[in-house]
Amino acid sequence: MLITKESSLEEVWQVAWDYLRRAAVDKGHPMRYLTLATSGPPDIGLRMVVLREIQQDLSLLMYTDARSAKVRQIRENSLTSILAYHPKHKVQIRLQGESLLHQRDVLAQAAWQRVQGPPQKAYNSLLPPGEEVSTPSEAHRWPEEMDEGHFCLIQFRPLELEVLQLNGLAHIRALFTISANERKGKWIVP
């Protein structure tokens, strides 16, 4: 177990961010694939996204197609939630925060430079995500030239971080609130 009854709130905070930072750079880390929750007309959306980077201010960066449903929902309601889980250590990290969209700005252009070769196709399909097709192969069509026109960067700014260490009947749970100039942690009932 990573977190025990003897762990301090500071240690819990460090464990959570160490895991997320590692996930951003280690393609095999179990927390690299996060569940992003959005809400907005017409419903609530859950989907897996890839954690690409964590910035100095603790913002998490993810890439998407600007034509996707999650982008429409974030435009309607920027309050979003992220869930990460490490199955071996049975640690869950839940983040609540605000998602900002970046398209064709400095941050998005810098990220697009890191997307090279075939992965650029993920943001260049001729048809938008969610479009109905007759056959699966119809969805796999791209222009000859790839560009960043539909590339969108999601910058998630956490306002709360919750850590849950699963351990039979002795789960341990902590909640941290995050603001620009401070963070406060407290233990909560699992």
Side-chain angles (χ1 to χ4, degrees):
M1 282 198 346
L2 294 174
I3 300 165
T4 66
K5 292 184 297 184
E6 291 76 30
S7 297
S8 69
L9 284 169
E10 184 60 30
E11 289 170 327
V12 173
W13 174 264
Q14 289 304 322
V15 164
W17 285 105
D18 286 349
Y19 265 59
L20 290 171
R21 284 187 181 99
R22 275 192 250 154
V25 295
D26 178 357
K27 292 182 180 182
H29 197 283
M31 289 185 170
R32 182 159 175 90
Y33 294 91
L34 308 169
T35 301
L36 173 67
T38 57
S39 65
D43 59 13
I44 295 169
L46 291 170
R47 77 276 296 154
M48 302 301 291
V49 294
V50 179
L51 176 58
R52 302 293 182 168
E53 182 182 338
I54 295 183
Q55 297 182 303
Q56 193 71 23
D57 71 352
L58 303 179
S59 290
L60 284 68
L61 302 183
M62 298 146 289
Y63 304 163
T64 192
D65 187 312
R67 302 169 292 174
S68 68
K70 67 180 147 298
V71 169
R72 281 192 304 277
Q73 288 179 318
I74 290 169
R75 283 191 176 117
E76 290 285 326
N77 180 4
S78 65
L79 295 178
T80 51
S81 184
I82 288 178
L83 180 68
Y85 183 68
H86 196 297
K88 181 179 176 186
H89 297 291
K90 297 183 179 179
V91 172
Q92 172 183 287
I93 299 172
R94 194 167 64 98
L95 300 141
Q96 302 286 340
E98 179 183 27
S99 286
L100 307 171
L101 300 171
H102 297 271
Q103 190 177 8
R104 295 186 175 137
D105 64 10
V106 174
L107 195 59
Q109 289 171 347
W112 177 251
Q113 295 305 311
R114 294 188 291 273
V115 180
Q116 296 297 312
Q120 291 180 339
K121 289 182 175 182
Y123 315 101
N124 274 279
S125 64
L126 291 177
L127 298 174
E131 183 81 15
E132 183 177 342
V133 291
S134 301
T135 65
S137 60
E138 192 179 341
H140 302 118
R141 297 183 330 183
W142 301 275
E144 285 188 36
E145 295 291 321
M146 299 292 149
D147 66 39
E148 74 276 9
H150 301 301
F151 179 76
C152 184
L153 180 97
I154 300 172
Q155 180 185 24
F156 175 86
R157 291 188 176 157
L159 301 172
E160 287 186 354
L161 177 137
E162 181 182 297
V163 181
L164 174 63
Q165 173 70 66
L166 297 174
N167 183 23
L169 294 176
H171 302 324
I172 300 167
R173 188 172 169 202
L175 176 66
F176 299 88
T177 55
I178 306 164
S179 66
N181 50 8
E182 69 175 334
R183 76 169 189 270
K184 293 181 181 176
K186 60 185 176 183
W187 300 108
I188 58 176
V189 176

